[in-house]
Amino acid sequence: MSVGFVNITKNQMEDFILPQGFHPISLDNTLELVYGKRVDQDDLKLSLRLYSGINPNGNSREVGEDAIRLYLFMKKDDNVIKIGGSKRVNRVSSWKQNLQKRIDGWLEFFPNHKCSKCNMPMLERKGKNGSFMGCCMYPICKNTVTIESVK
């Protein structure tokens, strides 16, 4: 077992995040417990999703298999779009403090730039010619701009 690794149970995770407004969600093809929380920004329907690294049996995955991850998703019509996320939280003794920093700072991974055509968030994309900013509503909106033009 790795130095510093701690097993986090479902009960420990839920004792920490349920009071913060997260609730369990069920996602197809997901082999870990996932929690969601509605957040609002710029009149968009956003949710934070916490991928716990905890198996459905209630215990953490083995060391090295996974970490806790926090992502920001947006729902527009019938599309669910990942628009940002934090660096992972390792399962070490300070996991609660580290995860709380990510939760408190979720706005840091909300995109700063909006599409000039549909007013939706622009995301950094990578293409054959390098990085660029593209509308999160692709392929509905195909607007792109160079990274230099948004700095």
Side-chain angles (χ1 to χ4, degrees):
M1 188 172 286
S2 176
V3 175
F5 171 81
V6 295
N7 184 52
I8 302 168
T9 67
K10 174 183 178 183
N11 289 339
Q12 289 171 314
M13 179 64 73
E14 290 186 351
D15 287 348
F16 181 67
I17 62 169
L18 295 183
Q20 297 188 55
F22 285 89
H23 60 277
I25 57 176
S26 177
L27 299 173
D28 292 339
N29 302 316
T30 304
L31 302 175
E32 65 187 301
L33 299 177
V34 181
Y35 301 87
K37 175 183 179 177
R38 225 9 234 285
V39 292
D40 295 319
Q41 182 68 18
D42 298 342
D43 298 322
L44 296 175
K45 293 180 181 178
L46 302 175
S47 68
L48 284 176
R49 285 189 189 168
L50 188 147
Y51 291 78
S52 67
I54 299 173
N55 290 317
N57 70 9
N59 289 309
S60 289
R61 293 180 177 182
E62 293 299 316
V63 62
E65 287 188 5
D66 227 353
I68 304 165
R69 292 147 354 265
L70 188 67
Y71 295 114
L72 183 65
F73 287 85
M74 178 183 79
K75 186 170 186 177
K76 178 76 172 164
D77 302 323
D78 288 331
N79 299 311
V80 176
I81 305 153
K82 178 181 156 192
I83 62 172
S86 70
K87 68 179 189 174
R88 69 187 193 172
V89 175
N90 292 320
R91 291 173 290 154
V92 296
S93 60
S94 60
W95 72 271
K96 286 182 185 178
Q97 297 91 327
N98 298 337
L99 180 55
Q100 190 64 58
K101 287 178 191 174
R102 307 299 192 286
I103 292 169
D104 291 344
W106 73 266
L107 202 52
E108 292 176 13
F109 42 93
F110 183 77
N112 293 327
H113 306 287
K114 297 248 178 130
C115 176
S116 61
K117 295 189 178 180
C118 69
N119 205 36
M120 299 306 289
M122 298 284 280
L123 306 175
E124 185 172 340
R125 309 278 193 195
K126 299 200 185 319
K128 62 182 178 183
N129 296 320
S131 296
F132 63 95
M133 299 297 287
C135 182
C136 72
M137 292 305 296
Y138 179 87
I140 297 164
C141 177
K142 297 181 180 179
N143 189 30
T144 63
V145 295
T146 63
I147 299 245
E148 294 77 28
S149 68
V150 294
K151 288 185 178 180

